Amino acid sequence: MYRRPGVSTTVPDTPALHEFEDALGPGRVITSEHELREWRDPFQFESWDEYTASAVVMPETVEEVQAVVRIAGRHGIPLWTHSQGRNNGYGGPAPRVQGSVIVSLRNMNRVLEIDEECAYALVEPGVRWFDLYEALRAGGHRLMLSIADIGWGSVIGNTLDNGITYMPYGQDQQMQCGMEVVLADGEVMRTGMGALPGSPAWNVYKRGLGPTADQLFMQSNFGIVTKMGVWLMPYPEVFHPVWVRVWNDDDLGPLTDTLRALMLDGTIRGVPQMLNTVLFGSMISSHDQWWTGEGPIPDREIERMGRELEIGRWMLRCALYGDEAVVEHQFAKVREAFARIPGADVWGWMCAPEDIPSLENPHERVMGGVPNLDLNAMVAWYGGDQGGHIGFSPIAPLTGHHAGELRDLMRGMLAESGLDYMASLLPVSARSFAHITMIIYDTKNEQQVRSAFDVSKRLVRQAAKQGYGEYRAHLDFMDLAAEQYSWNNHAYMRFCETIKDAVDPQGILAPGKQGIWPKSMRGSR
Amino acid sequence: MYRRPGVSTTVPDTPALHEFEDALGPGRVITSEHELREWRDPFQFESWDEYTASAVVMPETVEEVQAVVRIAGRHGIPLWTHSQGRNNGYGGPAPRVQGSVIVSLRNMNRVLEIDEECAYALVEPGVRWFDLYEALRAGGHRLMLSIADIGWGSVIGNTLDNGITYMPYGQDQQMQCGMEVVLADGEVMRTGMGALPGSPAWNVYKRGLGPTADQLFMQSNFGIVTKMGVWLMPYPEVFHPVWVRVWNDDDLGPLTDTLRALMLDGTIRGVPQMLNTVLFGSMISSHDQWWTGEGPIPDREIERMGRELEIGRWMLRCALYGDEAVVEHQFAKVREAFARIPGADVWGWMCAPEDIPSLENPHERVMGGVPNLDLNAMVAWYGGDQGGHIGFSPIAPLTGHHAGELRDLMRGMLAESGLDYMASLLPVSARSFAHITMIIYDTKNEQQVRSAFDVSKRLVRQAAKQGYGEYRAHLDFMDLAAEQYSWNNHAYMRFCETIKDAVDPQGILAPGKQGIWPKSMRGSR
């Protein structure tokens, strides 16, 4: 197992800071304690300061990003980059190393190109789901964007953390095509066909000549992505949300197995979610409505919640996209398949793509590519506007067996910590799912925050013992999560470290990101 | 531009050779000149010897691969790995550096696992399309494998060279999931979820925690892949080949644009091909039937060929897979769309997956996942059994404009060299295509072989000037092809070299592969 020295740094009042100011101009280097609060993990307890930055720099061009990296290199300053910094549940915009300089790309927010013919866009890191959606509308493009649940995030930022979206290009996170990356030495490179000057194929062909490096820049600290191609979907004839509701907790098994068959045969081409009663209910009600006693809501109250909110024990959401005749056939098939689960309800409806913005249900707008913030309501589960959550998200094969195993493991351990089990099982494609566990708490209640962080770490260890590893880890247990990937004496991490040391020998880019530390900061194994 | 020293090596009668023999046992180290002939590029002129190996070693286990790599490391011997070595048109099994030791994985040929529930297989590098197909049949699995045109190739070998297959998982070359890799220091690692001991998700989820390295091992020389997961498609209700024939050469434009729309909207989910008269005709006739004059077949004779063989000027092949009702709808839509091209003929038929092996047309068996060798007949275009070809394959956006530009460029330059223009435009997915140019020649005719190699190199340069880069390069012009990817002073190649030097500091793994040379063999730029 890894041990790491506590590392921290500080930059205010150093020559480096003045160099950043000279390079970026006034107002783009932030150091006041008050302003820096915006760049903390919004879901940590207020007085914890392990993951605070000492400055934020806000470049607006690729050249400025290069300048920032070169200054950091000269002074050996750790940087921590984000696009929008909406990484809620995983640490927000906060850096792994205390005192790092955050490189915030929020103001690099141009939609550089929208190609109607080949259905793609080229964007900068600060472009949010909202922004690209608006650009498509403003340009009159009949193109849809596969988006995340909460519209404020960055298209690039979400993609680089292997974030999940819900339309067909969301399957296997496959909508990215082509990147421009600033490396640790300040050089800029383009991947794939972008490496060929004047190539019109940068954002239409996913590989190039030689190895393909794009996924090397996801969940890593090997470079700073400054441009990315995003594939868009032409308007289908119709959009058809589908809902399946089951009434018994153990219906999760057949629900999962039925879903796999429908995804494997291409009937369901988007990315569904299977939400349990408490998580679904948290978006439309609050904890105290159902339970004011000690500990998590008891099972009988969850039953009541399912009945009264008419959401059963599990709700499956998904959508069909295509020609009306095909979608009609597919919906009939989906309905028939799920109807074999006793008591299951299956419903949905069809609309034109133009009508998606006016749909009442925010889940349906999300699946239809219309960004909104409504689903963020769940964080208020424990009351007030001070709610937070940690995401704990292991991956498993998409089978009823594994769905049941993970549910039992999570629910049991969360109950021991007095926390509710709030889950969305999210099939990334036909063969696997991320068990998104939303560990929700009141950020003003230090004991509850502490419990949530502690149980998360126990979950990382216990899940790994049973063969389940995280798809994405919270800042506070990135090292722990990465340590579980230990096959052949951590061969994979050692390979990542070899690359890290080669491409960033000074270790200035996001040290510690997903457990990858530069040589100067690595402990002994 | 790069310059490289001529490098060569030789190993027979060295201590290293005896170490290989000790590690692998009798009969698994080949050095006789006679036997080594099998490992030459079968399509080079006989007496050329620039790309000949001095020995072949044939490990049968991962541990033996590790031993081979460690011996090579101790002695500084360049290795050149292949799975089956069917890399025809791109150099076959031959190494880039004369005198290298070939690591042939042909005997590492076990299908390790077939998972019916999640529809995947885990295979070793020597497993051919034929072998995995037979394993699926023998096990009674109702699972289909997306295959290449010629069935003798390795599943892993094809995948690692970004090879193209034709079913839905062929789009964007997306059927690979999870790898085991032996690194240059002899260590073995597993990618993705395979890095987590006991994970059941290695071959069902394509990423892991941290960066995803799988595509780093494609078209590269960073490691030797010893196991790989392959996604399979459950039998659809029906399989439906589709053919479109157009009679005017310039129908290529609308053919391409129509196809893009049908792929973008998900109607066509597999990988089509658009074959010109001469390439399609080469599989069912020979050059001398049509033209015995000097130079390439004149256009009027191509017209005649199209009429007499009933293949028009361009033939589009593709297939639909799915529920009968959906496929019926899709075929009607496809027919209607292409019928807008004046004179176009559209036909096809439907069959059960069980009936695919008995289809007469080898193209249809290929699209249905039943491997065969029939399409290899084209190499006999110039008569006899001594035909060879070079593949020249630039990438472009899937638009009629780019299809026409590339056709004109290729045809013009090939004609100047007295060679026929034989092309398959192959949409890798909805937005781009590889213009596979088959430069076919008689391997016994040294002047024709020389012309073919020379024009290929001129094509690499000229295509790149117009913005088109190769998706995969022949051994003889890998360096030249890679040099075209020169954006920002070859930033991408310099990045690859940084990684190469870090993961293989001695430069023993496949030096020169796709233009990536280790430090010790790099020339000045």
Side-chain angles (χ1 to χ4, degrees):
Chain A
M1 177 165 149
Y2 278 97
R3 285 180 300 104
R4 291 222 172 59
V7 280
S8 72
T9 189
T10 184
V11 294
D13 299 320
T14 63
L17 198 71
H18 299 297
E19 288 186 41
F20 286 134
E21 281 164 353
D22 289 346
L24 302 183
R28 300 213 265 129
V29 179
I30 293 158
T31 53
S32 82
E33 201 182 315
H34 174 72
E35 284 180 285
L36 286 178
R37 297 189 69 78
E38 193 183 329
W39 277 274
R40 284 169 44 88
D41 179 355
F43 298 159
Q44 274 214 330
F45 186 68
E46 201 175 7
S47 67
W48 298 358
D49 67 351
E50 192 177 347
Y51 304 118
T52 49
S54 60
V56 176
V57 298
M58 305 196 73
E60 294 187 1
T61 65
V62 178
E63 292 73 21
E64 288 180 357
V65 174
Q66 294 177 275
V68 164
V69 166
R70 287 183 172 131
I71 294 166
R74 279 200 297 276
H75 296 276
I77 293 173
L79 302 175
W80 187 265
T81 307
H82 67 75
S83 300
Q84 274 290 332
R86 307 296 188 179
N87 182 34
N88 289 356
Y90 300 96
R96 177 69 185 79
V97 170
Q98 194 179 42
S100 295
V101 172
I102 287 178
V103 182
S104 175
L105 304 176
R106 285 183 193 168
N107 293 341
M108 251 175 102
N109 58 2
R110 292 175 302 166
V111 175
L112 299 166
E113 187 184 349
I114 295 173
D115 186 295
E116 177 93 25
E117 194 172 34
C118 286
Y120 68 84
L122 180 67
V123 299
E124 291 187 330
V127 172
R128 302 169 307 159
W129 305 111
F130 284 127
D131 303 322
L132 184 48
Y133 173 76
E134 283 308 326
L136 291 169
R137 299 258 294 189
H141 298 285
R142 294 179 57 83
L143 297 168
M144 292 169 87
L145 170 66
S146 186
I147 63 172
D149 281 297
I150 317 289
W152 62 24
S154 152
V155 178
I156 289 186
N158 185 74
T159 302
L160 296 187
D161 269 320
N162 290 346
I164 296 165
T165 65
Y166 300 101
M167 285 193 205
Y169 290 127
Q171 284 203 359
D172 297 314
Q173 297 122 325
Q174 61 182 290
M175 74 183 185
Q176 177 269 332
C177 185
M179 277 181 184
E180 180 184 87
V181 187
V182 171
L183 300 170
D185 61 2
E187 279 280 26
V188 58
M189 80 171 189
R190 291 186 175 175
T191 65
M193 304 311 290
L196 192 125
S199 170
W202 184 23
N203 304 122
V204 295
Y205 178 65
K206 291 197 173 187
R207 301 191 180 183
L209 186 71
T212 300
D214 299 52
Q215 292 183 12
L216 209 58
F217 296 100
M218 298 185 186
Q219 290 200 356
S220 81
N221 47 19
F222 301 154
I224 296 177
V225 176
T226 48
K227 291 185 181 67
M228 191 182 87
V230 181
W231 283 2
L232 305 165
M233 185 172 85
Y235 274 20
E237 216 173 87
V238 299
F239 168 69
H240 190 311
V242 177
W243 292 93
V244 182
R245 176 176 56 200
V246 293
W247 294 96
N248 299 301
D249 195 32
D250 282 339
D251 291 338
L252 177 62
L255 191 69
T256 305
D257 287 323
T258 304
L259 181 60
R260 184 186 64 253
L262 292 166
M263 292 183 76
L264 275 174
D265 77 4
T267 300
I268 295 174
R269 295 186 302 131
V271 173
Q273 284 199 30
M274 294 181 281
L275 301 121
N276 78 345
T277 316
V278 185
L279 181 57
F280 202 100
S282 74
M283 299 172 191
I284 47 179
S285 69
S286 67
H287 176 91
D288 291 357
Q289 280 177 257
W290 308 103
W291 182 244
T292 52
E294 283 291 296
I297 312 180
D299 206 62
R300 65 173 187 283
E301 300 303 321
I302 296 175
E303 284 284 329
R304 181 169 69 88
M305 192 174 169
R307 281 194 310 275
E308 293 186 15
L309 294 176
E310 300 183 326
I311 57 177
R313 289 305 294 256
W314 292 93
M315 285 282 278
L316 182 150
R317 77 173 209 199
C318 66
L320 306 168
Y321 311 79
D323 291 354
E324 183 170 345
V326 171
V327 166
E328 265 177 10
H329 170 88
Q330 289 172 332
F331 181 58
K333 185 174 177 176
V334 167
R335 189 168 45 196
E336 193 189 319
F338 286 114
R340 285 182 214 124
I341 302 170
D345 304 300
V346 187
W347 69 94
W349 44 83
M350 204 179 261
C351 73
E354 290 80 358
D355 297 332
I356 298 170
S358 55
L359 292 174
E360 196 185 334
N361 187 325
H363 292 278
E364 297 179 353
R365 273 178 279 136
V366 165
M367 293 189 290
V370 180
N372 59 75
L373 299 177
D374 299 10
L375 299 180
N376 208 30
M378 66 182 173
V379 295
W381 178 236
Y382 289 107
D385 58 354
Q386 303 298 334
H389 68 89
I390 295 174
F392 174 70
S393 315
I395 294 284
L398 186 60
T399 69
H401 167 74
H402 288 291
E405 290 278 304
L406 273 171
R407 175 199 60 189
D408 294 347
L409 167 65
M410 300 296 154
R411 184 165 54 189
M413 289 185 68
L414 287 166
E416 286 170 18
S417 295
L419 292 163
D420 291 319
Y421 168 61
M422 305 170 75
S424 171
L425 280 57
L426 207 158
V428 183
S429 59
R431 291 167 178 80
S432 65
F433 70 99
H435 185 293
I436 311 285
T437 319
M438 289 289 188
I439 305 172
I440 295 184
Y441 50 87
D442 174 355
T443 59
K444 292 290 183 197
N445 177 340
E446 184 166 10
Q447 194 201 323
Q448 205 181 32
V449 185
R450 179 60 66 198
S451 280
F453 277 79
D454 288 349
V455 72
S456 297
K457 292 173 195 174
R458 289 197 300 276
L459 282 170
V460 171
R461 284 205 178 82
Q462 185 56 39
K465 270 188 201 157
Q466 295 181 221
Y468 304 115
E470 275 203 281
Y471 103 100
R472 177 180 186 177
H474 187 287
L475 210 59
D476 194 53
F477 43 94
M478 277 181 178
D479 292 334
L480 182 66
E483 277 166 29
Q484 310 309 313
Y485 289 73
S486 63
W487 192 84
N488 188 23
N489 188 25
H490 303 269
Y492 186 68
M493 178 53 79
R494 286 184 286 127
F495 180 78
C496 290
E497 289 170 350
T498 300
I499 292 181
K500 177 67 176 171
D501 293 343
V503 301
D504 179 15
Q506 289 176 278
I508 55 167
L509 297 183
K513 173 81 178 165
Q514 301 302 350
I516 303 172
W517 290 90
K519 196 163 201 168
S520 61
M521 297 182 189
R522 281 203 288 278
S524 52
R525 194 175 279 115
Chain B
M1 178 164 150
Y2 278 99
R3 284 179 301 105
R4 293 224 171 57
V7 281
S8 72
T9 188
T10 183
V11 295
D13 300 319
T14 63
L17 198 72
H18 300 296
E19 288 187 42
F20 286 133
E21 281 164 352
D22 289 347
L24 302 183
R28 299 213 266 130
V29 179
I30 293 158
T31 53
S32 81
E33 203 182 313
H34 174 73
E35 285 179 285
L36 286 178
R37 297 189 68 78
E38 194 183 328
W39 278 274
R40 283 169 44 88
D41 178 355
F43 297 159
Q44 274 214 329
F45 187 69
E46 201 173 7
S47 67
W48 298 357
D49 66 352
E50 191 177 347
Y51 304 118
T52 49
S54 60
V56 176
V57 298
M58 305 197 72
E60 294 186 0
T61 65
V62 177
E63 292 73 20
E64 288 180 357
V65 174
Q66 293 177 275
V68 164
V69 167
R70 286 182 172 130
I71 294 166
R74 278 199 298 276
H75 297 276
I77 292 173
L79 302 175
W80 186 264
T81 307
H82 67 75
S83 301
Q84 274 290 332
R86 307 294 187 180
N87 182 36
N88 289 357
Y90 300 96
R96 179 68 185 79
V97 170
Q98 193 180 43
S100 295
V101 171
I102 287 179
V103 183
S104 174
L105 304 176
R106 285 183 192 167
N107 294 340
M108 254 177 99
N109 58 2
R110 291 175 302 164
V111 175
L112 298 167
E113 188 185 349
I114 295 174
D115 187 296
E116 177 92 25
E117 194 173 35
C118 286
Y120 69 85
L122 181 67
V123 300
E124 290 186 331
V127 172
R128 302 168 307 159
W129 305 111
F130 284 128
D131 302 322
L132 184 48
Y133 173 75
E134 283 308 326
L136 291 169
R137 299 257 294 189
H141 299 285
R142 295 178 58 82
L143 296 169
M144 292 169 86
L145 170 66
S146 186
I147 63 172
D149 281 297
I150 316 289
W152 62 23
S154 153
V155 177
I156 289 185
N158 185 76
T159 302
L160 296 187
D161 270 320
N162 290 346
I164 296 165
T165 65
Y166 300 100
M167 285 192 205
Y169 289 128
Q171 284 203 358
D172 297 314
Q173 298 121 323
Q174 62 182 289
M175 75 184 186
Q176 176 270 331
C177 186
M179 278 181 182
E180 181 184 86
V181 186
V182 171
L183 300 170
D185 61 1
E187 280 279 26
V188 58
M189 80 170 189
R190 290 186 175 174
T191 65
M193 304 311 291
L196 192 125
S199 170
W202 184 25
N203 305 121
V204 294
Y205 179 65
K206 291 198 172 184
R207 301 192 179 184
L209 186 71
T212 299
D214 299 52
Q215 292 183 10
L216 209 57
F217 296 101
M218 297 184 186
Q219 289 201 355
S220 81
N221 46 19
F222 301 154
I224 296 177
V225 176
T226 49
K227 290 185 181 70
M228 192 183 87
V230 181
W231 283 2
L232 305 166
M233 185 172 85
Y235 274 19
E237 218 174 85
V238 300
F239 168 69
H240 191 309
V242 177
W243 292 93
V244 182
R245 176 176 54 200
V246 295
W247 294 97
N248 299 301
D249 196 31
D250 282 339
D251 291 339
L252 177 62
L255 191 68
T256 304
D257 288 323
T258 304
L259 181 60
R260 184 186 64 254
L262 292 167
M263 293 182 76
L264 275 174
D265 77 3
T267 300
I268 294 174
R269 294 187 302 130
V271 173
Q273 283 199 29
M274 294 181 282
L275 301 120
N276 77 345
T277 316
V278 185
L279 181 57
F280 202 101
S282 74
M283 300 171 189
I284 48 180
S285 69
S286 67
H287 177 91
D288 291 356
Q289 279 178 256
W290 308 104
W291 182 243
T292 52
E294 283 291 297
I297 312 180
D299 206 62
R300 65 172 187 281
E301 299 304 321
I302 296 175
E303 283 285 330
R304 181 169 68 90
M305 191 174 169
R307 281 194 309 275
E308 291 186 16
L309 294 176
E310 301 184 326
I311 57 178
R313 288 304 295 255
W314 292 93
M315 286 282 278
L316 182 150
R317 77 172 210 199
C318 66
L320 306 167
Y321 311 80
D323 292 354
E324 185 171 344
V326 172
V327 166
E328 266 177 10
H329 170 88
Q330 289 172 332
F331 181 59
K333 184 174 178 175
V334 167
R335 189 167 44 195
E336 193 190 318
F338 286 114
R340 285 183 214 125
I341 302 170
D345 305 299
V346 187
W347 69 95
W349 43 84
M350 204 180 260
C351 74
E354 291 80 358
D355 297 332
I356 298 170
S358 54
L359 293 174
E360 195 186 334
N361 187 327
H363 291 278
E364 297 179 353
R365 272 177 279 136
V366 165
M367 293 189 290
V370 179
N372 60 75
L373 299 178
D374 299 10
L375 298 181
N376 208 31
M378 66 181 174
V379 295
W381 179 236
Y382 289 105
D385 57 354
Q386 303 299 336
H389 68 91
I390 295 174
F392 173 70
S393 314
I395 295 283
L398 185 60
T399 69
H401 167 73
H402 288 290
E405 291 277 305
L406 273 171
R407 176 200 59 188
D408 294 346
L409 168 65
M410 301 295 155
R411 185 166 53 188
M413 289 186 68
L414 288 166
E416 287 169 17
S417 295
L419 292 162
D420 291 319
Y421 168 61
M422 306 169 75
S424 171
L425 279 58
L426 208 158
V428 183
S429 59
R431 291 168 179 79
S432 65
F433 71 98
H435 185 293
I436 310 285
T437 319
M438 289 290 189
I439 304 173
I440 295 184
Y441 50 87
D442 174 356
T443 60
K444 292 290 183 200
N445 177 342
E446 184 166 11
Q447 195 202 324
Q448 204 180 32
V449 185
R450 179 59 66 197
S451 280
F453 277 80
D454 288 348
V455 72
S456 297
K457 291 172 196 175
R458 289 196 301 275
L459 282 170
V460 171
R461 283 205 179 82
Q462 185 56 40
K465 270 188 201 155
Q466 296 181 222
Y468 304 114
E470 276 204 283
Y471 102 101
R472 177 179 185 178
H474 188 287
L475 210 59
D476 195 53
F477 42 94
M478 276 180 177
D479 293 333
L480 183 66
E483 277 166 30
Q484 310 309 313
Y485 288 73
S486 63
W487 193 84
N488 188 23
N489 187 25
H490 303 268
Y492 186 68
M493 178 53 80
R494 287 184 284 128
F495 180 78
C496 290
E497 288 170 350
T498 299
I499 292 181
K500 177 68 177 171
D501 293 342
V503 301
D504 179 14
Q506 290 176 277
I508 55 167
L509 298 182
K513 172 81 177 165
Q514 301 302 350
I516 303 170
W517 290 91
K519 195 163 202 167
S520 60
M521 297 183 189
R522 281 203 287 276
S524 52
R525 191 174 281 114

